[in-house]
Amino acid sequence: GGLVWRGCSGNCDAEDGSAGTLADGNANPGDKLEGSDAAPDDPVHLKRRVGLFSGVALIVGTMIGSGIFVSPSGLLERTGSVGISFIIWMACGLLSLLGALAYAELGTMNTSSGAEYAYFMDAFGGPPAFLFSWVSTLVLKPSQMAIICLSFAKYAVEPFVSECEPPDALVKLVALISIVMILAVNCYSVNLATNVQNIFTAAKLVAIAIIVCGGAYKLILGNTRHLQEPNFASSTATLGNIATAFYTGLWAYDGWNNLNYVTEEIKNPSKNLPLSIIIGIPLVTLCYALVNVSYLAVMSVSEMADSEAVAVTFGNRLLGPMAWLMPLAVTISTFGSANGTLFVAGRLCFAASREGHLLDILSYVHVRRFTPAPGLIFHSLIAVAMVLYGTIDSLIDFFSFTAWIFYGGAMLALIVMRYTKPHAPRPYKVPIIIPYIVLIVSAYLVVAPIIDKPQWEYLYAGAFILAGLLVYLPFVKWGYSLPFMDKITVFLQMVLEVVPTSTTFE
Ligand code: ARG
């Protein structure tokens, strides 16, 4: 077996040590693997198994999650106008499409699964790449998880509190329980986690279909009055307000770059990657447009802006005795998304610490289950803190602000590499105007809210990113490690039954 009981941290990279090497002389986890049918040191060979259909399904499956069930109210509240909200919904779809097309060039040029990490490495070198993995493990992934679990909780408690506002403590408690459940699933087995993923993806399509059909039915009955006044005039939008309204909308579209994490597995990527994007993202945009229209076919603008769980309100108005279907479908959909997000987060953490960019312990896997338990637990702990101290809206702002700094960075990487690596093979080449547009929009999205309405969240996010540099120099660049880290690592190894591995996980 390729498992090594490694008692060191920092720059020790004896990754391929012989079976059961004991640096520390306590237990030999290699023994426990005898007879196990998984051969841990067989590198997993990535097969090209993602065709056009699975590519589209992957994009649609990650993009549709919690956002379309929570963002419409927030967006309406932030803009004060149906017309402007609608335009922003569509603009978010367009921006995601353009961003994803630029990512298609990056992803076919450098096919390694690290996505942004790999592009930053190519274009700007180590420190920005490190900052990306630092921020995505500490901020981006846990906040995605926290937002989705809070949305799950809202929908899970809503049917029990009728139409009044559910107590905050209850929502947070349910969100925490859901984090623990998802953590358990992902620590228990990789197979279980992927099965949950596949089954639960269907639920969100069902939820969307119910809403769209219900809305269409109401419209056919002539219920169009809420749609007829786009009331641009009533708009409360300022430039900064519009940027944060974009944050809310863009959250629902986040995940548009997800195919870039599996480029190595796509069949004929130079054709199928852009094609999946061109089909998948407009499909999601269309769904979101129809859902928004459906909501307004059933409730008024102010009802929608005030609703805590807009899909539940929708169900109560329209589905009569079947109203329970809505919260059920949405909780299943969000649970599935949170599960998928933690699944990916575990791999990300794993990849980053194998580069020596995070604590070694975070890349270890459980001796029998092969799940990257330490990384998963680490993410969940941060997500728990975020659930305790944040709200859905503040976390969405916090997330989107940080994410768009890096999406903008990826556009810059593309533009820079057109100059620094003009002859590198580019199987798919995006019109250069596209990354420029996305870069300018992302700069606006990041700067406008700070100027218009400064919030602590932006300061925290900025501080997190900069703190990354303070960690990078001593621990990554100069290779120091803390003296007591070895002991902690060994202690955690014994408690969690985890070991380093040479297996690749992608
Ligand atoms: N768009 C999704 C939602 O509305 C969130 C996706 C989170 N991002 C991700 N890469 N998993 O819930």
Side-chain angles (χ1 to χ4, degrees):
L3 297 182
V4 193
W5 189 252
R6 190 159 52 149
C8 57
S9 63
N11 287 343
C12 159
D13 51 14
E15 202 67 282
D16 57 349
S18 52
T21 306
L22 284 181
D24 223 0
N26 265 322
N28 186 350
D31 292 344
K32 298 183 184 160
L33 287 168
E34 295 286 317
S36 151
D37 50 8
D41 57 353
D42 257 3
V44 175
H45 292 294
L46 298 176
K47 290 217 184 69
R48 294 200 178 271
R49 58 184 173 81
V50 177
L52 184 59
F53 184 79
S54 349
V56 174
L58 227 110
I59 290 186
V60 174
T62 21
M63 285 175 74
I64 300 180
S66 60
I68 189 59
F69 308 114
V70 294
S71 296
S73 310
L75 226 157
L76 209 50
E77 209 176 304
R78 283 182 160 165
T79 59
S81 143
V82 177
I84 293 188
S85 293
F86 199 78
I87 292 172
I88 292 183
W89 273 106
M90 296 302 98
C92 289
L94 183 65
L95 185 62
S96 313
L97 178 63
L98 298 183
L101 286 175
Y103 266 64
E105 171 172 327
L106 290 165
T108 46
M109 198 177 153
N110 180 337
T111 55
S112 66
S113 288
E116 286 91 349
Y117 178 82
Y119 317 145
F120 287 176
M121 202 73 184
D122 281 355
F124 315 124
F130 170 79
L131 281 189
F132 173 77
S133 47
W134 165 265
V135 169
S136 56
T137 41
L138 252 64
V139 178
L140 295 179
K141 285 292 160 188
S143 59
Q144 286 174 350
M145 173 96 178
I147 299 167
I148 305 175
C149 286
L150 279 168
S151 315
F152 166 88
K154 268 206 163 159
Y155 275 89
V157 303
E158 188 75 18
F160 302 103
V161 294
S162 71
E163 293 221 346
C164 58
E165 192 155 322
D168 209 35
L170 181 63
V171 173
K172 293 198 172 198
L173 184 68
V174 174
L176 293 182
I177 295 174
S178 68
I179 293 181
V180 173
M181 274 160 52
I182 292 161
L183 177 62
V185 167
N186 279 274
C187 284
Y188 184 75
S189 112
V190 175
N191 263 339
L192 181 62
T194 44
N195 284 340
V196 164
Q197 195 55 17
N198 295 341
I199 296 167
F200 285 32
T201 298
K204 50 186 105 176
L205 297 180
V206 171
I208 300 273
I210 298 177
I211 297 176
V212 171
C213 295
Y217 170 74
K218 275 291 197 185
L219 287 181
I220 292 169
L221 291 186
N223 232 348
T224 55
R225 77 201 125 102
H226 304 309
L227 289 164
Q228 275 159 358
E229 351 118 31
N231 50 17
F232 287 102
S234 72
S235 166
T236 51
T238 61
L239 269 187
N241 243 338
I242 290 191
T244 48
F246 262 100
Y247 282 178
T248 311
L250 284 168
W251 164 251
Y253 287 96
D254 197 68
W256 49 262
N257 58 349
N258 250 38
L259 222 43
N260 280 59
Y261 294 91
V262 296
T263 30
E264 281 169 57
E265 290 162 78
I266 302 176
K267 293 181 203 151
N268 191 0
S270 55
K271 184 172 138 277
N272 280 335
L273 181 60
L275 211 53
S276 309
I277 289 169
I278 291 170
I279 298 172
I281 297 177
L283 204 65
V284 174
T285 311
L286 179 71
C287 284
Y288 288 1
L290 294 177
V291 168
N292 271 293
V293 170
S294 296
Y295 285 151
L296 284 172
V298 174
M299 61 193 103
S300 73
V301 176
S302 56
E303 279 176 309
M304 186 165 150
D306 290 341
S307 172
E308 279 293 309
V310 57
V312 171
T313 314
F314 180 92
N316 290 345
R317 296 286 145 82
L318 198 66
L319 300 178
M322 301 292 277
W324 52 269
L325 213 61
M326 237 29 258
L328 185 70
V330 175
T331 42
I332 296 178
S333 157
T334 43
F335 190 87
S337 299
N339 179 67
T341 300
L342 186 65
F343 189 85
V344 173
R347 266 95 203 120
L348 200 84
C349 208
F350 181 79
S353 41
R354 290 216 323 182
E355 297 286 337
H357 277 182
L358 279 176
L359 295 178
D360 281 0
I361 182 84
L362 296 179
S363 68
Y364 292 2
V365 296
H366 191 272
V367 285
R368 289 179 304 276
R369 307 191 178 286
F370 303 109
T371 52
L376 298 173
I377 295 173
F378 177 73
H379 272 112
S380 304
L381 285 177
I382 303 179
V384 164
M386 287 177 168
V387 163
L388 288 178
Y389 295 107
T391 61
I392 292 190
D393 288 327
S394 67
L395 285 170
I396 286 181
D397 290 348
F398 182 58
F399 166 80
S400 301
F401 172 79
T402 320
W404 280 88
I405 293 178
F406 288 98
Y407 295 152
M411 298 302 126
L412 199 60
L414 191 158
I415 295 167
V416 165
M417 283 192 287
R418 286 281 180 101
Y419 294 102
T420 55
K421 302 177 196 274
H423 304 300
R426 289 178 173 79
Y428 171 78
K429 210 167 172 179
V430 74
I432 191 68
I433 180 80
I434 288 183
Y436 274 110
I437 295 175
V438 180
L439 179 61
I440 291 167
V441 175
S442 52
Y444 160 73
L445 286 179
V446 169
V447 175
I450 305 184
I451 295 176
D452 190 67
K453 197 169 121 239
Q455 287 185 53
W456 284 110
E457 280 78 15
Y458 306 137
L459 195 68
Y460 295 149
F464 257 124
I465 299 177
L466 291 181
L469 279 182
L470 296 182
V471 173
Y472 178 76
L473 287 177
F475 296 113
V476 180
K477 188 142 173 69
W478 301 327
Y480 290 116
S481 60
L482 296 174
F484 50 85
M485 233 12 254
D486 287 1
K487 293 214 176 64
I488 297 183
T489 303
V490 171
F491 174 74
L492 288 175
Q493 277 195 281
M494 295 201 276
V495 174
L496 298 172
E497 296 189 86
V498 292
V499 286
T501 175
S502 51
T503 312
T504 35
F505 264 94
E506 284 83 19

